[in-house]
């Protein structure tokens, strides 16, 4: 069946249910953004020009909001607790509904069992027949619940699952045996999924799929009026919970400095009295409903972060409303190795500032990332912000149209159920020919035809298509995430299988005395010094994030659409 775009959200709102603050928050958000989603649907519809879109049967099981997982989030919605996850789930549900899919929503284990047709009880009666859904969107809590209640049948159906995973999961942590043997076990488990089945809040590592969320969009008239009404000396502090204001080392200093130049506003939750962490000179509005926060941000010039929360939606909202976002640089970067918050998370990613996406993908003039311990640097940043004029800005991938486009592409093209045809084909007569490159420094293949085979003839079909592949070698100790980024490209894990071979090494003119296939998350890679080359033995371990000081990686990079890093140019 063909999926038809929907612009009316009422049936979705009915499905979401009632009785919890988290659900009310999500529904308020859906209602508020409905017109924006409607316009986006019309635009994408026109862009896709009658392209066939299969209507999928989709189950959304929001594990972290179930009573069975303890649901610690709902009671804190009105008390300054995390809202980022609720923002994202509301937007995922809306996107799936607007794209016209057949949606079932479950927020309890009982509903989950009902939808799956599993009899109540624990795992005793696993699902025997076919899975009644094409796709299941859930989270780590939901995975655990499905394991308990579906038993072994989960394994059979897991290619249909997508895990919404805020901070991301790297291949080394996802692979059960490898994680256990090499010290990558985490609190969240190792599900042996294809790591692209994990979907993140920001494009952290391309090993995962970037799901994202949306932010407010403004038309030109609104943008102009915002710019006219900006108060150059007004700052809003990022942090809705008093603990985020704890005056740690140096913080009193920089808030005072800020106050010398600007009127400081906050939206910190409080019960009866001003929290002691919030200085008296701060004009505290208390926790605001989302639309009132937007109104406040429209007047403010500066949105300032203290270092926590990490990687939330609020900085994007501030920038979309014409603020400059000022945030601390982390030196050394925070990670699961050195920071409590990230400890036990299934990633080794190094977080270079409070909001690396804002730092790397947006940057100046909208974002300034400075060392807060350097009072001169901080001081001059504030002065620069007060005299800089910026327009409201929202990256395309965080608009409703951008999110719809991305989710549409994933749903229609990502397939983790069909086995992938081997490459190079075992009995192929067409020999893969790599051009002799200028040496192992940095080789870019201009397009796939340089690989010596016609993608349609002998290469198995792939998404992203092979035409987007650009092979390059990283530096020693550099990951493919970074190597591709440096070349203004994106590492594409789906294309590893085409470069995991001797021909690719030859193409880069790598000198190998030995070529060995191993189970190692930094392979394919090579060592120039030891003239050793390693290919990947287990496709589950193809990793863009993997790095080792001993090796240079073979990196399958690809191009990307403007403002939509998740999709290559020919990916729609
Ligand atoms: C992030 O979660 P947070 O909820 O702490 O992220 P924020 O950036 O603070 O913003 C979430 C939403 O809260 C809203 C605001 C944002 O959309 O509009 N809000 C509001 O409605 N009223 C207010 O007064 C202030 C903000 C992240 F998203 C999570 O994934 C992480 O778990 C968490 C910890 O790193 O940070």
């Amino acid at each position: 069946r063909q999926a038809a775009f929907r612009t009316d959200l009422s049936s979705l709102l009915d499905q979401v249910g009632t009785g919890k603050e988290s659900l009310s928050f999500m529904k308020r958000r859906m209602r508020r953004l409905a017109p924006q989603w409607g316009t986006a649907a019309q635009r994408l519809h026109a862009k896709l020009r009658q392209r066939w879109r299969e209507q999928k049967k989709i189950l959304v099981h929001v594990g972290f909001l179930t009573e069975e997982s303890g649901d610690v989030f709902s009671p804190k919605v009105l008390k300054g607790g995390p809202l980022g996850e609720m923002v994202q789930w509301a937007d995922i549900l809306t996107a799936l509904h607007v794209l016209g899919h057949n949606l079932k929503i479950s927020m309890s284990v009982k509903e989950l069992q009902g939808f799956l047709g599993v009899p109540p009880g624990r795992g005793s009666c696993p699902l025997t027949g076919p899975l009644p859904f094409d796709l299941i969107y859930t989270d780590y809590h939901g995975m655990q619940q499905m394991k308990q209640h579906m038993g072994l049948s989960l394994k059979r159906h897991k290619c249909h699952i997508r895990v919404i995973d805020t901070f991301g999961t790297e291949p080394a942590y996802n692979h059960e045996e490898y994680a256990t043997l090499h010290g990558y076990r985490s609190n969240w488990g190792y599900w042996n999924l294809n790591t692209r089945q994990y979907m993140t809040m920001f494009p952290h590592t391309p090993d995962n799929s970037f799901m994202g969320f949306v932010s407010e969009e403004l038309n030109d008239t609104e943008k102009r009026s915002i710019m006219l009404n900006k108060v150059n000396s007004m700052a809003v502090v990022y942090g809705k919970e008093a603990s985020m204001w704890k005056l740690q080392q140096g913080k009193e200093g920089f808030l005072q400095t800020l106050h010398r130049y600007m009127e400081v506003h906050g939206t910190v939750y409080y019960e009866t009295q001003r929290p002691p962490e919030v200085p008296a000179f701060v004009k505290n509005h208390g926790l605001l409903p989302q639309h009132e926060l937007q109104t406040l941000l429209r007047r403010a010039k500066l949105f300032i972060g203290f270092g926590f929360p990490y990687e939330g939606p609020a900085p994007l909202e501030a920038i979309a409303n014409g603020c400059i976002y000022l945030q601390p640089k982390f030196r050394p970067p925070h990670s699961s190795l050195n920071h409590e918050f990230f400890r036990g998370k299934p990633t080794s990613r190094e977080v270079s500032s409070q909001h690396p996406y804002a730092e790397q993908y947006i940057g100046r003039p909208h974002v300034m990332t400075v060392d807060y311990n350097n009072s001169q640097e901080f001081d001059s940043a504030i002065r620069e912000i007060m005299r800089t004029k910026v327009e409201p800005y929202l990256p395309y991938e965080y608009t409703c149209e951008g999110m719809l486009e991305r989710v549409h592409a994933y749903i229609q093209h990502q397939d983790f159920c069909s086995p992938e045809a081997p490459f190079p084909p075992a009995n192929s007569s067409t020999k893969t020919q790599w051009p002799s490159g200028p040496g192992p420094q940095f080789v870019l293949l201009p397009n796939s035809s340089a690989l010596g085979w016609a993608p349609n003839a002998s290469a198995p079909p792939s998404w992203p298509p092979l035409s987007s592949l650009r092979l390059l070698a990283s530096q020693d100790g550099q990951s493919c995430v970074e190597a591709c980024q440096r070349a203004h490209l994106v590492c594409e894990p789906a294309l590893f299988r085409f470069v995991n071979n001797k021909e690719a090494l030859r193409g880069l003119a790598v000198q190998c005395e030995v070529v060995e296939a191993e189970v190692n998350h930094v392979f394919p890679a090579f060592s120039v010094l030891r003239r050793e080359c390693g290919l990947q033995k287990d496709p589950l371990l193809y990793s863009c994030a993997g790095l080792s000081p001993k090796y240079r990686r073979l990196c399958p990079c690809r191009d990307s659409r403007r403002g939509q890093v998740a999709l290559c140019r020919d990916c729609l």
Side-chain angles (χ1 to χ4, degrees):
R1 237 180 104 174
Q2 162 94 291
F5 281 103
R6 297 190 187 105
T7 49
D8 179 6
L9 300 192
S10 45
S11 65
L12 174 66
L13 289 162
D14 289 342
Q15 269 184 290
V16 171
T18 49
K20 282 187 177 198
E21 279 309 330
S22 47
L23 304 183
S24 316
F25 174 87
M26 284 162 63
K27 292 213 284 199
R28 277 197 299 277
R29 177 173 177 84
M30 289 170 171
R31 278 193 207 99
R32 187 167 60 86
L33 298 180
Q36 207 172 292
W37 284 107
T39 316
Q42 285 162 3
R43 286 203 197 127
L44 186 62
H45 179 65
K47 190 170 179 177
L48 293 178
R49 289 206 214 107
Q50 309 295 321
R51 182 116 21 111
W52 174 266
R53 295 188 304 114
E54 181 80 28
Q55 187 189 46
K56 304 279 184 183
K57 278 185 253 148
I58 300 180
L59 171 64
V60 179
H61 175 64
V62 190
F64 84 107
L65 290 181
T66 61
E67 289 306 314
E68 290 84 353
S69 76
D71 186 11
V72 289
F73 283 72
S74 300
K76 290 196 184 154
V77 166
L78 298 178
K79 300 189 170 184
L83 295 173
E85 281 77 2
M86 256 86 77
V87 163
Q88 193 185 24
W89 278 105
D91 295 352
I92 293 171
L93 285 167
T94 315
L96 297 173
H97 172 86
V98 169
L99 285 170
H101 296 292
N102 182 344
L103 214 57
K104 294 279 183 277
I105 304 171
S106 127
M107 307 260 185
S108 72
V109 167
K110 207 169 145 206
E111 286 169 305
L112 173 71
Q113 288 173 319
F115 286 134
L116 289 177
V118 184
R122 285 194 161 208
S124 47
C125 276
L127 181 63
T128 45
L131 188 74
F133 295 97
D134 299 307
L135 284 167
I136 300 179
Y137 288 84
T138 188
D139 53 16
Y140 266 116
H141 294 283
M143 286 300 284
Q144 200 60 48
Q145 293 166 345
M146 286 198 277
K147 186 176 162 188
Q148 272 169 15
H149 299 276
M150 282 166 77
L152 286 177
S153 52
L154 176 66
K155 236 189 189 143
R156 226 173 351 110
H157 299 302
K158 74 179 181 190
C159 62
H160 298 276
I161 296 176
R162 306 291 181 266
V163 181
I164 304 302
D165 169 16
T166 310
F167 297 99
T169 298
E170 290 175 6
Y173 295 80
N174 164 66
H175 189 291
E176 176 170 8
E177 198 185 330
Y178 193 77
T180 310
L181 286 173
H182 300 277
Y184 293 103
R185 281 174 75 123
S186 76
N187 300 345
W188 299 95
Y190 13 76
W191 294 93
N192 292 317
L193 300 176
N194 182 316
T195 42
R196 277 169 286 146
Q197 289 174 261
Y198 298 98
M199 307 190 106
T200 55
M201 191 134 162
F202 289 94
H204 302 310
T205 161
D207 291 311
N208 304 137
S209 299
F210 159 48
M211 170 55 84
F213 57 93
V214 304
S215 196
E216 291 234 324
E217 288 166 58
L218 306 170
N219 60 33
D220 289 342
T221 326
E222 286 168 322
K223 281 189 191 164
R224 239 174 287 127
S225 117
I226 285 182
M227 289 183 70
L228 279 174
N229 295 316
K230 277 280 164 201
V231 181
N232 277 335
S233 57
M234 175 175 167
V236 174
V237 171
Y238 184 13
K240 50 186 152 42
E241 228 226 329
S243 65
M244 296 166 183
W245 290 59
K246 277 225 176 79
L247 301 176
Q248 292 163 19
Q249 205 195 352
K251 284 205 177 139
E252 186 150 33
F254 68 69
L255 251 188
Q256 292 286 356
T257 309
L258 176 63
H259 177 55
R260 275 218 312 272
Y261 296 102
M262 300 178 96
E263 184 180 283
V264 186
H265 293 245
T267 65
V268 190
Y269 166 73
Y270 64 94
E271 237 143 57
T272 46
Q273 277 168 5
R274 168 184 291 271
E277 294 88 346
V278 179
F281 59 77
V282 174
K283 193 168 165 19
N284 187 20
H285 302 258
L287 186 75
L288 293 177
Q290 279 201 308
H291 71 276
E292 285 182 37
L293 174 68
Q294 312 287 327
T295 314
L296 188 70
L297 291 171
R298 283 176 187 205
R299 286 190 9 251
K301 187 65 189 283
L302 165 64
F303 189 62
I304 178 172
F306 288 167
F308 194 83
Y310 296 110
E311 310 186 307
L316 289 192
E317 295 166 4
I319 297 162
N321 283 297
C323 297
I324 295 178
Y325 172 52
L326 177 64
Q327 61 163 352
K329 185 183 252 103
F330 296 151
R331 257 202 225 121
H334 296 184
S335 76
S336 50
L337 296 178
N338 64 10
H339 259 259
E340 211 35 60
F341 182 83
F342 287 106
R343 193 153 308 180
K345 292 204 170 20
T347 171
S348 308
R349 187 164 60 92
E350 300 205 314
V351 178
S352 55
S353 58
Q354 182 171 8
H355 207 296
Y357 178 86
E359 180 186 0
Q360 290 158 20
Y361 286 75
I362 305 180
R364 278 169 181 266
H366 306 278
V367 179
M368 290 180 67
T369 306
V370 308
D371 177 2
Y372 281 21
N373 293 318
N374 180 336
S375 50
Q376 245 179 357
E377 201 181 320
F378 184 80
D379 199 276
S380 69
I382 304 284
R383 278 182 287 138
E384 185 180 334
I385 287 166
M386 291 179 70
R387 50 169 202 266
T388 308
K389 257 201 160 14
V390 295
E391 273 192 37
Y393 173 68
L394 181 63
Y396 177 73
E397 55 205 5
Y398 283 95
T399 64
C400 293
E401 187 187 333
M403 182 162 180
L404 287 176
E405 177 182 274
R406 186 166 65 245
V407 177
H408 148 75
Y410 289 151
I411 291 180
Q412 302 301 323
H413 298 290
Q414 280 188 332
D415 174 6
F416 304 110
C417 293
S418 324
E420 281 183 339
F423 182 85
N427 54 359
S428 144
S429 53
T430 16
K431 191 115 185 59
T432 315
Q433 287 258 319
W434 294 78
S436 48
Q441 280 308 307
F442 187 84
V443 177
L444 272 183
L445 299 182
N447 57 52
S448 68
S449 64
L451 302 184
W453 26 256
N456 291 336
S458 59
S462 121
W463 190 85
L466 200 51
S467 56
S468 65
L469 173 65
R470 307 285 182 274
L471 169 68
L472 65 85
S474 79
Q475 299 301 322
D476 284 310
Q478 192 183 40
S479 71
C480 288
V481 178
E482 211 187 320
C484 297
Q485 231 163 42
R486 286 275 159 93
H488 305 288
L489 295 166
V490 184
C491 177
E492 178 48 70
L495 299 177
F496 261 117
R497 65 192 176 115
F498 298 110
V499 306
N500 185 42
N501 49 48
K502 289 184 185 166
E503 288 77 10
L505 287 163
R506 221 172 290 140
L508 292 170
V510 181
Q511 311 277 322
C512 309
E513 253 161 45
V514 273
V515 183
E516 221 131 21
E518 243 183 66
V519 178
N520 180 334
H521 77 289
V522 301
F523 286 176
F526 58 94
S527 152
V528 179
L529 205 70
R530 284 169 286 128
R531 297 190 162 211
E532 273 170 27
C533 301
L535 298 179
Q536 181 56 257
K537 216 171 167 180
D538 187 342
L540 263 197
L541 277 179
Y542 283 142
S543 168
C544 291
L547 60 88
S548 154
K550 288 193 244 161
Y551 287 107
R552 299 181 59 175
R553 312 259 345 251
L554 241 59
C555 302
C557 309
R558 63 157 166 84
D559 54 28
S560 63
R561 297 174 75 86
R562 240 186 116 101
Q564 181 76 286
V565 70
L567 303 181
C568 73
R569 276 185 214 138
D570 296 330
C571 272
L572 255 197

